[in-house]
Amino acid sequence: MITTISPLRRAAVTLVLTGATVLGAVAIAPAAFADDTAVVTEQAPVTEAAPSDAPVAPEVVAPEVVVPEATAPVVEQAPAPAPVVAPPLVVIGKDGKPVKQPKVCTDKDQKEYDAKLAKANQQAAPLLKAAAQLRDASAVVRAQIARMTSAQARVAQALAAVGDMAASKLEAQAQGIVAKVGGIGCIVVTAPGGRF
């Protein structure tokens, strides 16, 4: 080695040569051909001792160079699709609140409803019969108005109107009795293809 170079320049040249060697090693041996388990380290070249009259330069140690391991590209599998779960059907009413799902009728519900309806119809039957009799009587009175005097005709017409009004009240009362039973309160499911 040249002894006329100052110790500082010598250290700089050593560092440059070490860096060039490291860069060359990395450029020549790509990561794909590198050994997976080997760690490459290089040592600094040995320099001669400086003459005793010159100041002693500190010893330069080359840094360790670690070549990254060659790894195959990681391919992530697409996650399995989540199962599709249909949310429960929620119907919102006019008031903005959810509406409850209707109840399906059982045989017991149907029998109870039929019994209540039969009892209401039995109570309403005499009222409807009386209303029909009143309407028939009013019709008979109106048919005889043509043979009556004008005073008798006015009285007969009034009686027929009262009879019709009473018949209407009896019919309304009978309808009220049946209406109290209300609906069945559940949905009657029919067989597919059956009649409603």
Side-chain angles (χ1 to χ4, degrees):
M1 185 147 186
I2 305 175
T3 57
T4 58
I5 299 177
S6 72
L8 218 47
R9 290 179 91 187
R10 217 178 294 155
V13 168
T14 303
L15 286 175
V16 167
L17 287 175
T18 305
T21 305
V22 169
L23 289 175
V26 170
I28 293 172
F33 297 114
D35 184 13
D36 289 346
T37 59
V39 176
V40 177
T41 59
E42 296 204 14
Q43 296 189 3
V46 178
T47 58
E48 294 179 11
S52 60
D53 60 339
V56 178
E59 186 177 327
V60 177
V61 178
E64 288 186 14
V65 177
V66 178
V67 178
E69 296 181 7
T71 57
V74 178
V75 178
E76 293 184 16
Q77 294 182 349
V84 178
V85 178
L89 182 62
V90 177
V91 178
I92 305 297
K94 291 181 181 178
D95 59 353
K97 296 181 182 177
V99 177
K100 291 184 180 179
Q101 187 175 5
K103 177 185 167 190
V104 178
C105 292
T106 62
D107 290 337
K108 180 182 176 185
D109 295 332
Q110 187 67 44
K111 287 178 184 177
E112 288 176 0
Y113 176 73
D114 291 342
K116 287 179 185 177
L117 190 59
K119 184 178 179 183
N121 284 330
Q122 186 179 12
Q123 292 173 348
L127 297 173
L128 293 173
K129 183 178 179 184
Q133 290 173 349
L134 281 171
R135 290 205 187 272
D136 289 342
S138 295
V140 169
V141 170
R142 283 194 180 99
Q144 296 182 7
I145 288 179
R147 292 181 256 155
M148 297 181 185
T149 62
S150 64
Q152 292 174 337
R154 280 194 297 262
V155 171
Q157 186 66 28
L159 285 174
V162 169
D164 287 339
M165 187 175 62
S168 296
K169 296 238 181 209
L170 289 174
E171 289 169 348
Q173 190 177 357
Q175 288 175 352
I177 291 172
V178 174
K180 280 184 183 178
V181 174
I184 192 166
C186 55
I187 295 176
V188 178
V189 180
T190 59
R195 297 186 176 204
F196 297 179

